Structure formats: C-alpha cells, structure tokens
C-alpha cells in the first residue's frame, strides 16, 4: 500500500509492506528517501498517548469524564446556537487533510456565518501568502523541488533545510555533486551551512537590508534584466529610483557581513544562469514578514530569474498540508479557493454552497482571537489538530485569555497537549495513518494519503466531526458526506471558481492519485503572464523599519527559534519514539562561546533566559556557530513561547517569533 508522509511540507512517498514502512522509490518528489521522522511514522499512531474517547467537564477546575459522541455534538450545537456567529472561532491545522479543512471552512464561513476560521499555518507561512498575492496577483509558488536539479545557485535564507526539510536537503546535496552552488544566509551556522559554498552570518532582522543591497547592486552594475522587466514587471522606474537612494555601505553595515563576503555572493550571483532563493520561518515569522518576502521576490523579478526551469522565489512550508489549507481557504483573511471577501466572490461561493450566511468581513486571525478573548468577545473556540497554548507567542498572555473563553472544544488525536488544561470538551480525532484524503506539499504536488491501520478507539476523521456539527445545526443536506472522496469531488468543482480558474485542482482524477501525484497550476505563469490586472508582476519598494523588539542594556541578546532534525513541534508524536531522541537533545539554549565566557556559563549548565514576557530555565549549549549577542531555543522546548513576542505583521498577522530581546544568566543569579 502506498501513501504519503504526514510530517513536513516535502511530502515524501511511502510504502507499507507486511507492516513495515519504507520510502516509495517511484514517488517523483522523494524517490525512496525518508527522514528519521517519516520512517518512524507508524510508531506514533498506536501509543498510550492517544486520545481515544470524548471527554467533558463543566469548569476548568473539574476532572474530565467520559461522554457519548451524540451528547458531545448536541452540546456543541447548543453552544453555537446560544451565541452570535462573530463570537465563534475555529482554529485549524496544517496537519489536517484537505477534506477536513474544506468541511471546517464551509461550516464556519458558509453556515455558522463566522469568518473567524484560521489555522496554525498562520504562524509559519501567511507572510508568504500575502506577498505572493501582492506581487503575482495570486498565492502561487512558482518553483518546484525538481527545479533544484536545473539550478546553478541556490540561496537558502531563514531556512535550516538540513534539519527542517531533510529529504529536500538531501536532494540539494545530490545536486551539489553536479555543480550546484549553495549560499546559506543565517545568524546561526546551522547543519545546512555546513555544506554551503558560502555562508553569510547575517545579523538578525536585517534580511530586507541584504536583499535591497543585492537589488541596488544589480541595478547599478547593469545586471537587471531590462527586457524581462519591460515585458513582465510593473513599477520598475519608481523602484529603481528608491533603491538608488539607499546608501549601500550603511546597508552592508546593518547586515553585519564583511564586504568580501558580499562580493563573493555577488560574484556567484552574476555567474549563475539559474537561481532559486528558498526560505521559510526565518523570513516569514517577523513583524515585517510580508516585506521580507517581497524583498526576495523583487530580486528575482528585476534579475529575470523567475518562471523558467531552475529559477524563482521558493517559499517552503513546514507542515504537511499547509499548502492545501491555503487552497481550501483555511485562513480567516480569505473566503475559499483563493477567493477573498469581495462582493463577487461572496456571490459565487454563496451560490455554490447554497447559503446566505456568509459575512463580508475578514475574520479574526489566530492571535486576534486571543485579543478578542481578552476583551470577552469570544464565547466558543473549536480547536482541531493543533495546540495553540504551546505554539502561540507570549504564552502567559495566551493562557490568561483562554481562561476567559467560556467553552473550548479540542479535537485531537493525542492526549498530552498543552491546551488540555484550558479545554471543556475533548473529541478524539483520527491522526495520520488512520484516515484517508488529500494533501498538497510545498511545491503544489497533490498526493493521496491512505488509511494504513484501523481507527483507534472512538476516534473519527476531522471532516466527519465537522459534518456531524453541521447536520446537528440543521444543515443536513450541505453536510451529508459519506466519505472523504465525496468531499474532495465537491472541493474540486469549487476550484473552478478561483480567479481565471487558475487553481486547476478540478482536473484531478482521484483514482489516478492512487498511483501518481498531480501538480496544480503547472502552466499558470508559463508565458510570464501573472494574475494581476495587466498580467505583469508588481514590484514593491520595502525598507527595514526596525519594528521588531530591539536589544537594550537589560535585554542585550536576540532570541531566535527553530526546528531540530528528528523532533516535530512539541514532540507529541516523535517524542514517544526512543530512536528519535538520540540525535540531539530537544531542550537547550545555544549561546556563543564568547558570550558564555563573559557570563561564566559552562556547556550543559542550567541557565535562565528571560524576556519582557516570561522566563524559562534550560541547559546551555555553548557554541561558536551562532552570532554573538544571539541565542537560539528549538521549538520542541514546550516553554519557548513564554519568551516570544506577540508583535504581528500588519498585513499577514504572523507573529514576530524570531526577534525577541532577551537576557541570559546562570540559573539562580537573577
């Protein structure tokens, strides 16, 4: 039996033979490769940590007690009916399959009438979504993983692919043997930097300065592709004039990169016919995340390194179906199938769903739901396959806000969540391996996830849970789904409503997906015609505004966060597997050896890390692989978000996880 991995956005093909899982050599994305997480997937399904039965309680001070499914659904319907739509929220996950996402989005926006339907993908790639729409006219990633095989220069910025996207990293290393050059731009000399041809230890937060510096150099040295710009790009003259006014020496100083390093970078750039820039949370998770994305896209547009094999800006997703959630419409700032809340789109979607309940205002994003809860404006929150208490920033604030929500429903496959102490009703969901459906990996490749084992306990697929709620609310016909295949057929038909039907998922043959994947939008920009009003891409002049939290005498360090290779998020699944714990600890704080010496901190010694929002105690990892006055904590440390900042990008509403001012001292010294 063949399926697809349910961890990162690479989406590797797998096979099951006599209960043994291995990589599928025929799958075009991964060609038989799997990382340690993917190879251990089956071990995470049948564990003692599973949530197998529905549980409820009246108050957060009570113990949970067993409850029947029918009683639980009755309770949810009563709570929804007793309040108004704008006081209801749904918080979804990039670990849902597209069918789960579709039904939840349809229920919330189409029938309950709330656009407060958001996803934990807000935390990782919403800045890229907004930038794609601003530059290209649609949320479209114009690069595929196979493009790396045609690339001469790969620029990785804010991405530790060797640990976060292991199989993609292996593809990169294989391409290097055929001549690919790799540049890594990161304040940490990561595992990815170890195989880079050039490593640039950029100062945290200076990404826009760097790409503006590159753009200015391209224009000044006559390296801009003026023919491409004239035919396919809007706003070049204004952009070139604004870039020309930026002092190059000051930009370089702000980046903290030696001049010879920058010259080496530009030499590589100038000598490379085909160039890809790939990034992930290190760029997106910022108060200027959208503008950081745009600075990268600008560089590709003015150099003409886009929309041909081996070229372009490549936004990497962290979760298995983050891309699928975008296609369905699982963000509060979009309606469905890449449609927004304009009058024409609402009319089309209303007619398709057969509803008159759609609100014309964008809903609350993830952290805006926290703010609404603080104000007493959120009565009910349904959380599906995610753990917001763990992963939202400024955790002390989030915990206080969640205590004010009268009724929280947690739909989860696992019992050991950080959100559990704040929930009133918990429903058992089927995880990866126990359900079937569709997911889209980070380069628009749609694959079928098969049901590999029997569903445990009383768990149900998320789509079925949302359908039960919809029917109980009186919308029997709209949610009368018998299986995931029916839902996907409806979603396929709906994609014809997308702008110029560019989301051509309606072409997918479900039966064919059993043997080979489908790539949507393959020829969308084939003639360099973008989905803007005049068919040209838009340049947007952006500048670094220093809006992130800055160092101070009391908080002289900048805290960075990120993934480590063999663990996944909080370790709910991977933390149960002994062989995945051997690579490196999942809880530590990296500190530069010079900073450690000045603070008399020894490797392995427990230290206290503090920000304006909270403090945690962790073992120190002393290293020369991180910039001075910069520290790093992996996101597998469940306490990390007691420290992180809840500043939001004003356009994407993505938090500034990667720029918190911090202090560090030996435990007990403060």
């Amino acid at each position: 039996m063949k399926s697809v991995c349910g961890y990162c956005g690479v989406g590797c093909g797998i096979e099951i033979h006599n209960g043994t899982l291995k990589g599928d050599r025929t799958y075009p994305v991964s060609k038989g490769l799997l990382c340690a997480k993917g190879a251990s997937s089956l071990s995470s399904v049948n564990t003692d940590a599973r949530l197998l039965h529905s549980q409820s309680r009246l108050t957060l001070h009570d113990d949970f007690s067993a409850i029947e499914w029918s009683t639980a659904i009755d309770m949810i319907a009563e709570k929804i009916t007793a309040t108004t739509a704008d006081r209801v929220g749904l918080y979804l996950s990039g670990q849902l399959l597209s069918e789960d996402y579709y039904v939840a989005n349809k229920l919330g926006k189409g029938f309950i009438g709330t656009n407060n339907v958001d996803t934990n993908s807000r935390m990782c790639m919403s800045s890229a979504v907004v930038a794609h729409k601003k530059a290209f006219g649609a949320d479209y990633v114009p690069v595929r993983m196979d493009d790396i095989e045609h690339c001469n220069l790969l620029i990785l910025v804010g991405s530790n692919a060797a640990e976060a996207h292991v199989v993609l990293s292996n593809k990169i290393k294989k391409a290097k043997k055929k001549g690919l050059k790799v540049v890594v731009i990161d304040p940490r000399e990561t595992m990815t930097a170890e195989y880079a041809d050039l490593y640039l230890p950029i100062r945290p937060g200076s990404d826009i300065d760097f790409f503006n510096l590159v753009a200015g150099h391209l224009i000044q040295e006559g390296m801009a592709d003026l023919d491409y710009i004239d035919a396919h790009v809007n706003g070049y003259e204004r952009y070139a004039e604004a870039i020309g006014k930026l002092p190059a020496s000051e930009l370089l100083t702000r980046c903290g990169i030696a001049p010879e390093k920058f010259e080496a970078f530009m030499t590589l750039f100038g000598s490379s016919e085909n160039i890809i820039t790939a990034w992930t949370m290190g760029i997106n998770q910022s108060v200027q995340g959208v503008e950081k994305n745009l600075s990268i896209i600008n560089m590709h547009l003015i150099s003409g390194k886009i929309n041909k094999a081996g070229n372009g800006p490549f936004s990497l997703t962290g979760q298995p179906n983050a891309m699928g959630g975008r296609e369905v419409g699982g963000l509060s700032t979009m309606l469905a199938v890449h449609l927004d809340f304009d009058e024409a789109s609402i009319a089309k979607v209303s007619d398709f769903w057969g509803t008159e309940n759609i609100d014309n205002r964008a809903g609350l994003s993830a952290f805006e739901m926290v703010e609404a809860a603080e104000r007493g404006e959120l009565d009910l929150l349904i959380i599906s396959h995610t753990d917001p208490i763990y992963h939202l920033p400024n955790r002390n604030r989030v915990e206080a806000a969640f205590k004010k929500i009268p009724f929280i429903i947690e739909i989860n496959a696992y019992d050991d969540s950080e959100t559990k102490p704040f929930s009133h009703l918990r429903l058992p969901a089927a995880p990866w391996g126990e359900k079937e459906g569709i997911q889209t990996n980070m380069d628009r490749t749609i694959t079928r996830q098969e049901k590999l084992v029997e569903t445990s306990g009383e768990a149900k697929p998320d789509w079925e849970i949302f359908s039960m709620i919809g029917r109980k609310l009186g919308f029997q016909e709209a949610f009368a789904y018998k299986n995931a295949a029916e839902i996907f057929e409806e979603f396929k038909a709906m994609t014809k409503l997308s702008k110029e039907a560019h989301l051509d998922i309606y072409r997918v043959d479900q039966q064919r997906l059993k043997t080979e994947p489908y790539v949507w939008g393959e020829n969308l920009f084939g003639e360099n015609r973008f989905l803007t009003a005049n068919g040209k891409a838009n340049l947007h002049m952006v500048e670094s505004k220093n809006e992130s939290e800055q160092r101070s005498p009391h908080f002289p360090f900048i805290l960075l966060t990120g993934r480590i290779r063999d663990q996944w998020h909080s370790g709910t699944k991977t933390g149960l597997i002994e062989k995945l714990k051997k690579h490196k600890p999942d809880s530590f704080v990296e500190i530069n050896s010079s900073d450690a010496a000045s603070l008399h901190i020894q490797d392995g010694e427990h230290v206290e890390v503090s920000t304006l929002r909270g403090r945690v105690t962790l073992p120190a990892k002393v290293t020369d692989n991180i910039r001075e006055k910069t520290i790093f904590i992996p996101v597998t440390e469940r306490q990390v978000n007691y420290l992180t900042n809840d500043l939001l990008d004003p356009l994407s509403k993505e938090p500034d996880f990667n720029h918190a001012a911090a202090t560090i001292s030996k435990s007990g010294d403060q």
Side-chain angles (χ1 to χ4, degrees):
M1 184 178 289
K2 294 187 177 186
S3 188
V4 62
C5 181
Y7 279 111
C8 79
V10 175
C12 297
I14 62 170
E15 291 181 340
I16 305 291
H17 286 286
N18 298 321
T20 300
L21 185 153
K22 65 178 185 177
D24 178 4
R25 293 181 179 274
T26 68
Y27 189 70
V29 170
S30 50
K31 298 174 183 175
L33 296 175
L34 284 179
C35 74
K37 294 191 296 292
S40 304
S41 294
L42 282 177
S43 301
S44 70
V45 179
N46 296 313
T47 74
D48 293 337
R50 288 288 305 278
L51 176 64
L52 299 177
H53 306 281
S54 300
Q55 306 171 347
S56 71
R57 59 182 175 181
L58 290 176
T59 75
L60 300 184
H61 303 291
D62 299 325
D63 293 331
F64 282 104
S65 58
I67 186 174
E68 296 294 328
W69 265 110
S70 58
T71 306
I73 298 301
D74 287 347
M75 188 182 302
I76 296 170
E78 289 171 5
K79 296 289 185 182
I80 292 173
T81 305
T83 187
T84 55
D86 62 330
R87 299 178 73 88
V88 175
L90 284 77
Y91 193 35
L92 310 176
S93 167
Q95 293 176 73
L96 294 173
L97 297 180
S98 294
E99 294 86 347
D100 301 321
Y101 253 130
Y102 178 83
V103 177
N105 192 58
K106 178 180 178 179
L107 174 65
K109 294 174 183 170
F111 289 85
I112 295 175
T114 178
N115 291 331
N116 303 333
V117 181
D118 212 39
T119 167
N120 60 14
S121 299
R122 174 75 60 186
M123 302 297 119
C124 63
M125 48 93 249
S126 56
S127 292
V129 171
V130 176
H132 292 154
K133 292 173 73 172
K134 289 175 72 69
F136 305 145
D139 176 22
Y140 180 80
V141 177
V143 179
R144 301 197 57 242
M145 281 181 274
D146 286 349
D147 278 310
I148 290 169
E149 298 172 10
H150 306 284
C151 181
N152 305 116
L153 175 64
L154 174 64
I155 305 164
L156 288 161
V157 55
S159 166
N160 183 10
E163 299 200 68
H165 299 100
V166 179
V167 170
L168 174 64
S169 180
N170 289 337
K171 290 169 72 76
I172 293 168
K173 288 189 282 188
K174 186 177 180 180
K176 276 181 61 65
K177 295 178 181 178
K178 299 179 181 179
L180 174 69
K181 300 297 183 184
V182 176
V183 175
V184 171
I185 306 172
D186 199 304
R188 299 172 61 229
E189 192 169 355
T190 60
M191 286 179 63
T192 310
E194 291 175 8
Y195 61 72
D197 297 279
L198 178 64
Y199 166 58
L200 302 179
I202 196 169
R203 182 172 287 125
S206 61
D207 311 274
I208 292 174
D209 292 323
F210 178 81
F211 289 106
N212 279 350
L213 182 63
V214 174
H217 189 92
L218 293 173
I219 293 169
Q220 184 178 359
E221 298 299 318
M223 297 167 67
D225 188 336
L226 297 180
D227 290 338
Y228 180 86
I229 291 167
D230 183 61
H232 304 297
V233 179
N234 292 316
Y236 176 70
E237 290 184 4
R238 291 193 306 274
Y239 175 80
E241 181 182 1
I243 282 287
K245 293 178 181 179
L246 299 179
S249 58
E250 183 179 331
L251 293 178
L252 187 60
T253 299
R254 294 211 296 254
C255 292
I257 296 172
E260 57 271 21
K261 289 267 192 180
F262 181 72
E263 290 171 9
F265 173 85
M266 291 309 309
T267 299
L268 277 173
F269 196 103
S271 61
S272 300
E273 180 179 354
N274 300 322
I275 300 173
I276 292 172
T277 306
W279 70 95
T280 185
M281 271 71 88
I283 291 292
N284 294 333
Q285 291 179 334
S286 167
V287 71
Q288 277 192 271
V290 173
E291 294 182 337
K292 288 181 179 181
N293 274 262
L294 288 170
S295 70
I296 295 169
I297 293 170
N298 289 342
M299 179 184 73
H300 280 272
L301 290 175
I302 67 170
S303 61
K305 306 296 185 182
I306 190 171
N307 289 350
K308 53 186 176 180
N311 290 273
F314 191 11
S315 164
L316 312 178
T317 59
Q319 294 198 80
N321 201 31
M323 178 75 77
R326 289 147 68 171
E327 295 157 4
V328 166
L331 289 161
S332 64
T333 42
M334 61 176 67
L335 175 53
V337 294
H338 287 185
L339 297 175
D340 296 320
F341 295 102
D342 57 279
E343 186 175 340
S345 294
I346 290 173
K348 286 194 290 186
V349 173
S350 296
D351 181 64
F352 184 87
W353 279 341
T355 182
E356 298 178 353
N357 293 347
I358 298 176
D359 193 351
N360 62 1
R361 300 165 297 172
L364 299 172
S365 66
F367 205 82
E368 289 175 325
M369 290 191 209
V370 174
E371 296 169 336
E374 288 178 323
R375 299 189 297 267
E377 297 173 359
L378 198 64
D379 289 338
L380 179 112
L381 178 62
I382 303 175
I383 300 164
S384 179
H385 253 89
T386 187
D387 196 359
I389 289 291
Y390 150 70
H391 72 239
L392 290 174
N394 194 354
R395 179 165 169 172
N396 280 314
R397 182 181 179 187
V398 174
E399 289 183 359
F402 270 46
K403 289 177 181 177
K404 293 183 177 182
I405 301 175
F407 198 68
I408 293 180
I409 301 134
E410 184 186 8
I411 303 171
N412 205 335
Y414 295 89
D415 187 58
D416 185 25
S417 73
E418 299 293 298
T419 302
K420 177 180 179 179
F422 301 84
S423 301
H424 301 86
L425 177 63
R426 308 186 78 224
L427 305 178
W432 175 93
E434 289 188 358
K435 60 181 177 180
E436 61 185 12
I438 305 301
Q439 69 182 47
T440 309
N441 71 10
M442 61 190 176
D443 67 353
R444 311 188 317 278
T445 302
I446 298 175
T447 24
R448 180 175 173 81
Q449 189 182 109
E450 297 289 354
K451 184 176 181 179
L452 305 175
V453 296
E454 289 302 312
T455 305
S456 302
E458 296 179 344
K460 297 179 183 295
D462 296 77
W463 67 260
E464 186 173 345
I465 299 171
F466 287 115
S467 295
M468 291 166 68
I469 296 170
R471 292 195 297 270
K472 191 63 185 180
L473 288 170
F475 310 115
Q476 284 86 359
E477 184 177 348
F479 296 94
Y481 304 112
K482 297 182 181 68
N483 51 51
E486 284 187 357
I487 300 165
F488 190 70
E489 287 301 314
E490 181 176 313
F491 168 52
K492 278 174 50 180
M494 193 181 199
T495 61
K496 293 180 181 179
L497 305 181
S498 65
K499 189 175 184 179
E500 299 183 26
H502 74 277
L503 195 61
D504 60 357
I505 296 172
Y506 56 84
R507 301 180 188 274
V508 173
D509 182 331
Q510 285 201 69
Q511 191 62 33
R512 195 170 178 179
L513 278 181
K514 289 178 176 290
T515 56
E516 62 180 281
Y518 175 84
V519 181
W520 71 263
E522 189 70 325
N523 300 308
L524 180 58
F525 294 164
E527 298 178 356
N528 278 296
R529 186 184 181 283
F530 298 88
L531 292 182
T532 58
N534 67 355
K536 294 185 178 183
N538 298 317
L539 286 169
H540 294 268
M541 180 61 197
V542 295
E543 291 187 62
S544 181
K545 302 170 185 173
N546 292 323
E547 292 178 336
S548 295
E549 194 169 61
Q550 302 299 309
R551 294 185 179 96
S552 70
H554 292 294
F555 298 100
F557 290 83
I558 293 299
L559 168 65
L560 308 176
T561 63
R563 288 186 169 132
I564 55 177
R565 194 186 74 179
D566 293 337
Q567 293 296 322
W568 177 249
H569 292 179
S570 64
T572 300
K573 295 189 287 187
T574 50
L576 303 170
I577 303 168
E578 286 300 320
K579 65 181 180 181
L580 295 183
K581 300 179 182 179
K582 297 177 180 178
H583 173 63
K584 67 167 60 173
D586 58 7
S587 179
F588 58 86
V589 54
E590 281 187 359
I591 182 172
N592 181 273
S593 57
S594 176
D595 293 324
S598 67
L599 295 170
H600 308 291
I601 291 171
Q602 303 294 318
D603 188 65
E605 186 174 22
H606 275 75
V607 295
E608 192 170 85
V609 182
S610 301
T611 69
L612 283 171
R613 292 157 293 283
R615 61 181 59 188
V616 301
T617 300
L618 299 168
K621 181 179 180 181
V622 178
T623 177
D624 291 325
N625 295 338
I626 190 168
R627 287 187 65 105
E628 293 183 13
K629 299 301 179 184
T630 305
I631 57 177
F632 169 84
I633 299 175
V635 296
T636 41
E637 168 49 56
R638 290 193 173 198
Q639 299 183 84
V640 66
N641 285 314
Y642 283 117
L643 304 173
T644 51
N645 205 327
D646 54 21
L647 283 172
L648 303 180
D649 182 292
L651 299 175
S652 70
K653 310 299 182 182
E654 186 163 351
D656 199 354
F657 282 105
N658 278 303
H659 209 98
T663 187
I664 183 170
S665 62
K666 296 177 70 168
S667 184
D669 283 358
Q670 289 192 351

